[in-house]
Structures are given as C-alpha cells and as structure tokens.
Amino acid sequence: MELLKVVNLKKVFPKTKEPAVNGVDFSILKGEVLGLVGESGCGKSTLAKCMLRLINAQEGNILYKDRDLLKILPKDMHRMRKDLQIIFQDPYTSLDPRMRIGDILEEVFIIHHSFLRGRRKVKVIEILEMVGLGETYLKRLPSELSGGERQRVGIARSLATDPEFIICDEPISSLDISVQAQILNLLMDLQKRKNLTYLFISHDLGVIASICDRVIVMQAGNFVERGLCEDIFRKPKHDYTKNLLKSSSLLS
Amino acid sequence: MVLEIKGLRVRYGVGEVVRGLDLEIAKGECVGLVGESGCGKTTVGLSITRLIPERKGTISSGRILLEGQDLLTLDHESLRKVRGKKVSYVFQEPSSSLNPVFTIYEQLKEALPGRGATDDDAVISDLLKSVGLAKIAGKKNIYPHELSGGMQQRVMIAMAIVPRPDLLVLDEPTTALDVTVQNQILDLIMELKNKIGLSVLFISHDLRTIFRLADRVAVMYAGRIIEEGPRKRIVAQPGHPYTVGLIDSIPSFEHRKKRFDAIEGRAPLFSDLPQGCKFHPRCKFKIDKCVHAEPELEELSDGHVSRCIRAKGLIANGAIKGS
Ligand SMILES: Nc1ncnc2c1ncn2[C@@H]1O[C@H](COP(=O)(O)OP(=O)(O)OP(=O)(O)O)[C@@H](O)[C@H]1O
Ligand SMILES: Nc1ncnc2c1ncn2[C@@H]1O[C@H](COP(=O)(O)OP(=O)(O)OP(=O)(O)O)[C@@H](O)[C@H]1O
Ligand SMILES: [Mg+2]
Ligand SMILES: [Mg+2]
C-alpha cells in the first residue's frame, strides 16, 4: 500500500537560479525503508523539509491519506505532525537551548495530548532509555550534552509522538559505531513491530545497504537513479552512482 | 612534541569525565581519538585552549604544553592569541560556530592572516574550491543558513586551515559528508600535514576515517585512554576487547537486514562508574581480577599500549584479533 506519494515537487531558493529540488516524483510504501543518497548539497534536506512543509515548495503535491499536504490548512498540518515526523540533521539548532531535556520531551506529549500528567514523566524516562540515555539526563540543558547525546535526544523527540512515518535526515551521523548499531536496531525493531515507514537519508552507504528496501540517488536536485537496494548496489547504472560506490569501501 | 597533554582531569556537574589522560602529538603527526558517544572526546579537544564553558566545568588538574608552553597557566590575553592562530578548531556542530549574521565571504576574510591584501578574493576562492565548494567560490552574499549541513562543515574546515595553525583540532569534521567529499577533505588535510608539517588531533567516532588519516590511534573509554598505538599495529592486532568490538561493529553490505553487532550493554554513567576496569560489565573476557582494580596502561609492543590485564594472553591465544 502506498503511504505517501510525492508529485513534481519543486523548490527554488531566492537568489538562486537552479532549483534545489527540481520537480521530483516518488512514492513510499507502508512499512518500507526508502533510502535517499547523494552528494552534499544535492537537495536531500530541502526535499525532506518540503515534504513536511517546514519550508514552502513552489510546486507539487504530497498525497497522504487522500489529502494533499501542501494544500491543507496549517492547523490540519499541525495535527498531521504527530504522524509524520522528522529527525533533523543538525541536533544543535533543533533543540531549544533554554529547555531541559525532560521538558523538551514532555512538551511533545503535552502538545499532542498523548498521556495524562502522571504518566508523562514515566514515558519520558522510557523514551530516553530507548535511545540509550536515561533518567540522569532529565534535568540537563542541550548544551550540557555531548554531540551524540544531543542527536539521540532529537531521535527520542521524534519517536515520542508515536508516528507512522519518520524522515531520518542523517540521524546517526554523530554516533559511534556501537551506539549507531543500538539506534539502528531500535529503528528496525519499531519498523517491524509497528510497521513504521522511513525515508532514510544518509551519506553512509554501508548503513543504507544494510537497512533499506529501495534507494533513490539524487544529484543536483534531480533523481538520477532508483531501484531495489540489491540492484543499485550490485549493478549501478548511472555514472554518478558508480562513482559514489567506487569511493566507498563497499565495492573494494 | 607540538602538543603534550599530561594527567588531564576535567570535571562537570555529572562527575569527572576526563580522568587522567596523557596524549602527545608530534610535528606533522595526526593522532586519531576515537570512542563511544559521551566518553569525553570533545572535552579533551576543548581543554587544549581552555574552551570548557566556565560555569559548567573545570579542568581540575593536568598540564597542556603547546611547543613547551603550558596553556593552563597562560593569562587570557596570551591564550586568545593561541586560539585561532596556533591552535584552530573545527567544532562538532558547524551551525553552532558559524556566525549567522555575517556572510561566508566576510567570515573567511576575517580569518585570513594577512588581511587586506589585494589577492584576498583569489585566496578565498581557491580555499573554497579546495574543500569542494566551487559552487559558492565567487559569491560574496551567501549566509551560513543558505548552505547544507555538509557545506557548512566544509566552510568550517576552510576557516580553520586558513591561519596556518601549528595544531588543528578536528572534532567529527566529516560526519555529514559522503565518501567522495570525505576523501577530498582527508586528502587536503594529509597534504597540509606533509607540506607544512601541520599537526592534527582528529576526533571521530568513525574508525574508517581514523584508519585512513591517523598515524597513531588513541581509543578512549569512560574518560581515559584504554588503548593507543601506531595505526598499523592497531588495525593488524587490536589490544583491547573494546577496540575489537568497535572494529566488529562496522556495518557492511553483508549485514543486510540482520541485527547490527553492537557491543552489548551501554557505556557507564560518569556519576556511577563501576569498580575496576570500566569496561568489565560489557566484556566477554572478564575475570574476577578485572572487577577489583582499574588496570594501568601496559605495553604490548613498541609504542602500543593497552589498559587490559588480559591483553597479552588474549592476543596469544587468538581470542582477539584484527580484521
Ligand atoms: N535556506 C536556504 N536558502 C538558500 N539556499 C539554500 C537554503 N537551504 C539550502 N540551500 C541550498 O540548497 C541546496 C541543497 O541543500 P540541502 O540542505 O537540501 O542539501 P543536502 O543534500 O541535504 O546536503 P548535505 O548532505 O550537505 O546535508 C544547497 O546548494 C544549499 O546551498
Ligand atoms: N556542559 C556540560 N555539563 C555537564 N555535562 C556535560 C557537559 N558537556 C558534556 N557533558 C558530559 O560529559 C561527557 C563527555 O562529553 P563529551 O562532549 O566530551 O563527549 P564526546 O566523547 O565528545 O561524545 P560525542 O561522540 O557524543 O560527541 C558526556 O557524558 C556529557 O554528558
Ligand atoms: Mg542535509
Ligand atoms: Mg563530541
């Protein structure tokens, strides 16, 4: 079943001529892990933010449950955010520096009326534990965490709404291999248990290869290749993909 | 030695997070510092020029010598001259250190050593090209928020190498970059190392990049170094069960849709460190003795040390080996 369908999505930033996202089409199936790869600056984060209307696209449709996300009212979009989440690439700017970690997470529950007050605290600790942090982090400010700890708070915050779709924008880039593995295992467990759907953006082809069903390869705002993960990694067609694979250790 | 860190201890509210650390970097050498999230890597890097936020943490003891000069006893004025000039940084989160109200061009120009020369524009343009940003090389009106994460990271790298420092501290400098660009950056740093004798402290969680660039590798766990040695030695024969675990968790296509081989358990909290070897609760080679006293660094071979009392035996019987 198709969960989300993107049609002719286009974004041109002011001051620039070439579109950052140049009229792309794709759909994501329910329960699928779709990978998005491409060199730095090719438009991955822009595409992600347009999909959830965090920035405005100029053209296109994003169909989700018979509605066009780009056309619905802001207050309806706000409600959708519970189901459609994003883990931001930059944890530093996405966490309010004045709020304590416990409050950042509890606020998510309050906004989405998720639990009664008494349950909230327990749930906050539970979700911190899931990302390998825990009760001792409740009272800390974002500036009092290491880079990888901040990134995991970002992940916890996205999981807190119990979404059905998550855009993961370089979600594990600041995590060491062992914590990376814990987080990937967690994301894959949730995917199996709750049939979650992910759009997974990463520059790490090893990770993409190990978790994705399908992959899209992006270059300068366009999709240049897409297909099943096995096919793309075994027999890349486009020169750009070949280069990408060649410079990583996967083919060597 | 360009840099000598001796007996460094740093304390935050949560406890002591750097618990007596020694590290040396020679001229033209790159030392890779690797370890689990939260083990204290960034704190070590920040300590070098006393950048630990004052109200949050303190360097409680130790010495940090930059070309023989102790930076921990320096007055603020002299320290400011060291920062950015002799020691420059690429911080872990680029957006936190680029100034949002100035253009990239303005910020690079500010960092140029002999500012005001007529060829400034050409120098800046070349610099941006060398980090793969030809796209914005001639443009003067670009602000940090108009760049992607990986582009910001590369601007930071350009800004850090411009003053020709003696020591470059790179804290996770290529996390947001794909392999192609990553290789380009690593080549650039390698070139500066060989050409002008730049010394580098390369902090990263990514063993693959560390193994590409570093001459020596230091593995950190719970605030201390638990293994250190020449890169080639460590790749061929790691000397600590934790290092072996790190190497084994590198994902590859063969892992497809299987569970990732994480090291079981999680890093201990600084507020509640275990007795003895700090890794013992997660170590499959643990024996009674590991629980009692924290091991000292023991030499395995020339310049290769490990903080594991069983290292020699485990290596001898093939229980821990390289990949
Ligand atoms: N707010 C903005 N204003 C103007 N241009 C922007 C803005 N945000 C991004 N861009 C430009 O759009 C292009 C795509 O940026 P985007 O952040 O989507 O790249 P990305 O693929 O996510 O890269 P990375 O892997 O480095 O994160 C880049 O050329 C960038 O400079
Ligand atoms: N300002 C602070 N106040 C209190 N605790 C802090 C502060 N900054 C860092 N810490 C704690 O100190 C420890 C070491 O942090 P540090 O940033 O050095 O880790 P790191 O090894 O760089 O981790 P990462 O790979 O996640 O960036 C962490 O457990 C962190 O929670
Ligand atoms: Mg991005
Ligand atoms: Mg760090």
Side-chain angles (χ1 to χ4, degrees):
Chain A
M1 190 188 78
E2 216 166 63
L3 179 77
L4 207 106
K5 188 179 168 78
V6 174
V7 186
N8 191 31
L9 191 72
K10 185 165 178 178
K11 172 72 187 176
V12 188
F13 284 110
K15 294 203 270 187
T16 53
K17 286 179 296 289
E18 317 85 49
V21 176
N22 191 14
V24 299
D25 300 277
F26 67 104
S27 42
I28 305 179
L29 305 178
K30 173 98 185 133
E32 176 177 49
V33 185
L34 178 62
L36 179 60
V37 302
E39 76 185 346
S40 171
C42 73
K44 304 178 296 291
S45 297
T46 305
L47 170 63
K49 288 179 199 159
C50 286
M51 284 174 69
L52 298 191
R53 252 173 76 175
L54 298 166
I55 53 177
N56 288 320
Q58 270 88 8
E59 282 174 38
N61 313 92
I62 293 165
L63 307 171
Y64 172 69
K65 302 205 166 139
D66 306 322
R67 309 236 268 168
D68 186 342
L69 293 184
L70 297 187
K71 306 243 155 61
I72 60 179
L73 294 172
K75 74 167 177 15
D76 292 332
M77 189 60 215
H78 181 75
R79 216 171 304 135
M80 295 283 193
R81 292 250 158 79
K82 183 179 179 315
D83 295 324
L84 308 173
Q85 275 292 325
I86 179 165
I87 298 169
F88 288 102
Q89 182 170 7
D90 184 344
Y92 198 81
T93 48
S94 69
L95 299 174
D96 185 339
R98 288 152 306 192
M99 281 177 74
R100 304 202 175 269
I101 303 307
D103 298 331
I104 290 175
L105 294 174
E106 189 169 354
E107 189 182 48
V108 177
F109 295 148
I110 297 173
I111 293 171
H112 296 290
H113 314 288
S114 301
F115 301 99
L116 293 176
R117 183 184 304 214
R119 292 278 295 143
R120 280 189 222 132
K121 283 258 155 26
V122 184
K123 282 283 164 190
V124 166
I125 295 172
E126 210 175 283
I127 212 139
L128 275 173
E129 296 274 350
M130 273 162 68
V131 294
L133 302 174
E135 207 171 338
T136 50
Y137 288 84
L138 286 176
K139 292 265 180 298
R140 290 213 229 159
L141 295 168
S143 65
E144 297 168 345
L145 301 183
S146 80
E149 289 165 347
R150 263 197 292 275
Q151 190 161 47
R152 284 180 278 163
V153 171
I155 295 171
R157 187 181 50 183
S158 307
L159 296 177
T161 65
D162 195 15
E164 84 168 318
F165 173 61
I166 308 180
I167 300 180
C168 309
D169 192 355
E170 302 280 2
I172 51 173
S173 62
S174 347
L175 301 178
D176 59 278
I177 299 164
S178 150
V179 178
Q180 251 185 32
Q182 289 171 18
I183 295 292
L184 289 174
N185 286 336
L186 168 70
L187 292 176
M188 292 309 110
D189 283 348
L190 289 172
Q191 190 243 348
K192 282 199 204 85
R193 243 181 37 228
K194 302 189 169 180
N195 206 19
L196 278 192
T197 307
Y198 299 110
L199 177 62
F200 202 97
I201 302 173
S202 176
H203 67 273
D204 189 331
L205 296 180
V207 170
I208 291 280
S210 33
I211 64 170
C212 293
D213 301 300
R214 282 189 307 142
V215 205
I216 294 176
V217 184
M218 195 168 177
Q219 182 185 29
N222 297 295
F223 290 171
V224 292
E225 186 161 358
R226 62 177 102 189
L228 289 176
C229 207
E230 290 95 13
D231 297 344
I232 302 263
F233 282 95
R234 296 247 159 74
K235 291 190 288 293
K237 290 201 185 67
H238 202 275
D239 277 347
Y240 175 70
T241 316
K242 283 181 196 159
N243 267 329
L244 207 61
L245 281 169
K246 203 164 63 197
S247 35
S248 87
S249 52
L250 283 180
L251 280 187
S252 62
Chain B
M1 286 296 151
V2 168
L3 180 77
E4 288 169 81
I5 300 180
K6 293 181 175 168
L8 179 69
R9 292 181 177 270
V10 185
R11 177 171 283 285
Y12 289 123
V14 284
E16 193 173 60
V17 305
V18 178
R19 305 180 302 113
L21 180 134
D22 303 298
L23 197 68
E24 292 185 348
I25 305 181
K27 186 163 171 59
E29 185 183 43
C30 173
V31 171
L33 184 61
V34 66
E36 212 154 12
S37 174
C39 72
K41 304 181 294 297
T42 298
T43 307
V44 171
L46 294 178
S47 299
I48 296 173
T49 63
R50 284 161 41 200
L51 286 170
I52 309 277
E54 258 174 41
R55 271 170 300 123
K56 310 256 177 185
T58 45
I59 297 177
S60 42
S61 66
R63 302 218 296 155
I64 291 178
L65 305 175
L66 186 73
E67 274 157 354
Q69 183 179 39
D70 193 342
L71 299 184
L72 295 187
T73 58
L74 224 54
D75 62 77
H76 281 275
E77 187 53 31
S78 324
L79 193 63
R80 243 205 11 230
K81 289 195 190 121
V82 170
R83 283 183 199 146
K85 217 161 166 200
K86 289 185 158 176
V87 182
S88 66
Y89 285 90
V90 174
F91 294 106
Q92 194 166 7
E93 279 144 344
S95 59
S96 63
S97 41
L98 287 169
N99 192 328
V101 300
F102 292 107
T103 63
I104 299 300
Y105 173 78
E106 286 166 331
Q107 296 187 49
L108 280 171
K109 198 160 165 133
E110 183 72 32
L112 281 182
R115 265 185 312 232
T118 43
D119 64 346
D120 276 4
D121 286 6
V123 173
I124 290 175
S125 176
D126 285 346
L127 194 66
L128 286 170
K129 283 179 194 155
S130 71
V131 291
L133 289 175
K135 202 167 149 187
I136 60 163
K139 296 187 183 168
K140 294 190 178 174
N141 63 343
I142 308 268
Y143 287 89
H145 78 272
E146 296 174 313
L147 299 180
S148 77
M151 292 164 88
Q152 289 180 352
Q153 211 163 30
R154 284 178 279 161
V155 168
M156 285 294 304
I157 292 168
M159 216 175 287
I161 58 181
V162 124
R164 295 283 159 121
D166 300 324
L167 175 69
L168 178 62
V169 180
L170 298 165
D171 195 353
E172 308 279 5
T174 59
T175 46
L177 302 175
D178 57 88
V179 260
T180 331
V181 185
Q182 215 172 62
N183 289 345
Q184 186 182 355
I185 300 286
L186 297 183
D187 290 346
L188 175 69
I189 294 165
M190 191 75 91
E191 190 189 312
L192 291 171
K193 207 167 80 80
N194 297 337
K195 230 166 52 191
I196 63 165
L198 180 72
S199 305
V200 184
L201 176 61
F202 191 97
I203 299 173
S204 176
H205 65 267
D206 185 352
L207 270 181
R208 279 176 295 195
T209 49
I210 291 253
F211 283 165
R212 271 210 50 183
L213 194 67
D215 304 301
R216 270 186 313 123
V217 177
V219 184
M220 206 172 159
Y221 191 80
R224 285 190 107 171
I225 285 173
I226 53 111
E227 178 169 5
E228 187 189 331
R231 176 200 60 204
K232 288 187 183 126
R233 283 295 310 156
I234 292 190
V235 175
Q237 177 56 70
H240 195 289
Y242 175 66
T243 313
V244 177
L246 282 182
I247 294 173
D248 284 349
S249 333
I250 299 178
S252 73
F253 196 69
E254 283 65 51
H255 283 88
R256 226 183 120 54
K257 293 269 168 188
K258 281 192 229 127
R259 283 188 74 83
F260 291 90
D261 263 331
I263 302 169
E264 286 292 322
R266 66 170 77 137
L269 293 168
F270 283 107
S271 51
D272 189 22
L273 287 179
Q275 287 288 307
C277 169
K278 303 305 170 232
F279 185 63
H280 88 252
R282 304 166 76 181
C283 184
K284 55 182 172 200
F285 303 113
K286 175 186 75 177
I287 55 174
D288 285 348
K289 210 171 157 219
C290 301
V291 185
H292 299 307
E294 186 166 9
E296 295 299 318
L297 285 173
E298 199 181 324
E299 187 149 68
L300 300 175
S301 62
D302 201 20
H304 184 193
V305 290
S306 160
R307 205 181 282 286
C308 171
I309 50 170
R310 299 200 61 197
K312 281 180 180 156
L314 292 173
I315 291 171
N317 68 21
I320 58 177
K321 46 179 180 284
S323 46

